[in-house]
Amino acid sequence: MIFYLLACSLAAMAYISGNPGDRDVFRAYELRMSGQVDEAKALLLQVLDTDSTNAMAHYEMARLNFYLLTGGGGTRLEDVTAHISKAADLEPDNVIYAYYRAVSGFMNAFMFMQTGQEDKIKGAVDETCSLLRKVLLLKPDYYEPMLYLVEIYGMLPPEMGGDSAQAAHYAGKLSETNAYFGARAREVLAPEGTDLVKFWENEIAGNGRTPELLYRTAIAGILAGNPEVAEKYYNEVKSRDPSANLLQLQLGRYHMMKVMQNREIASTELPVAITCFEKYLQTLPEPVVPLKAYTLGLMARANMFLGNQEEGEKLQQQAAAIDKYFSKASGVPSQILFEPPDKICHHYFSFFSPF
């Protein structure tokens, strides 16, 4: 946490001689990251009341509204898209805003899929892909939006906006420019039933034991239902990249998800999940407040499911005490919410995978 706060302070110093509104936006970001979400929102509203054309304030408000959306804060997806669209329109050359606009755009398509509004899905998907291509016009070597195009075009059927030729096109571009993202693209397009652990072990054999490849092999182990493989590669990668501690949290989620599929194994799987969560909270670098609260919330749910009501309520109170709007979603909150507002995000999360 000390290193995180230092990073925030150093980044904030960059704005001391800049726009006062931007300095306040950075302060709002720091408040949100410390669990003071209401105070952060109040400050952003003040900034926008003073200057409604502050693009960074609209961007940060979009991220804050999405965080509230996952934490029961009474916001809607429209509150996210309205602010990020405004930010991107105000500064059309800003790749940070363009990227978040594209990612948020797919949320609309996802909601249409979830609610059965089939007549709206393809239009929303087409718009998302158009926005992702605009990001690449601003930054041609931005691999994350290119990988999203591979996923969306490659995993959706044509009637929903899928396009296998476009998926292959962008996968080819990734393979030509970045070995790791090229492998990620090939993974997306691999035939159903592909042994993904072996796939990534082959990548390691050909490209070395890099942290990125070790991390993906651990994730492949989780997806294959083989936590032993995941633990093996996590133990190796964490010594090289401490930020890979998120894998410990994902391992806990894996054991919880097994119980969602088969409640009869709760007595054996949930204690393992709780242990994983406890280990994650003890890792360094220390998890940021939103992820710490989220993890405590998962531990509370697991304990309550096991009948440990008192312990569950205690953990729930601990989570709410540090961040009352902590995410109630099953998936880990995206790291795109936690980057400073002036930093390009290179954390990739899949729309189509739970890990």
Side-chain angles (χ1 to χ4, degrees), residues 244-319:
N245 59 359
L246 204 61
L247 270 171
Q248 188 70 69
L249 176 57
Q250 298 287 26
L251 278 165
R253 286 186 58 243
Y254 161 76
H255 290 287
M256 283 194 76
M257 290 179 70
K258 286 183 69 176
V259 176
M260 292 169 62
Q261 297 167 352
N262 181 4
R263 297 167 68 95
E264 294 182 1
I265 60 175
S267 61
T268 55
E269 291 296 322
L270 289 182
V272 178
I274 292 169
T275 298
C276 288
F277 297 144
E278 290 172 340
K279 287 181 178 179
Y280 171 66
L281 292 175
Q282 295 166 5
T283 58
L284 295 174
E286 183 180 349
V288 295
V289 168
L291 288 179
K292 185 183 295 185
Y294 167 76
T295 305
L296 289 169
L298 291 180
M299 292 171 64
R301 285 157 58 184
N303 272 280
M304 289 178 181
F305 196 95
L306 288 170
N308 304 327
Q309 193 70 22
E310 184 176 346
E311 178 65 14
E313 290 176 357
K314 177 183 174 183
L315 289 164
Q316 189 81 7
Q317 290 169 4
Q318 289 178 11

Side-chain angles (χ1 to χ4, degrees), residues 323-337:
D323 186 345
K324 68 179 180 180
Y325 296 113
F326 69 89
S327 175
K328 313 304 188 297
S330 60
V332 176
S334 169
Q335 299 297 298
I336 199 172
L337 298 175

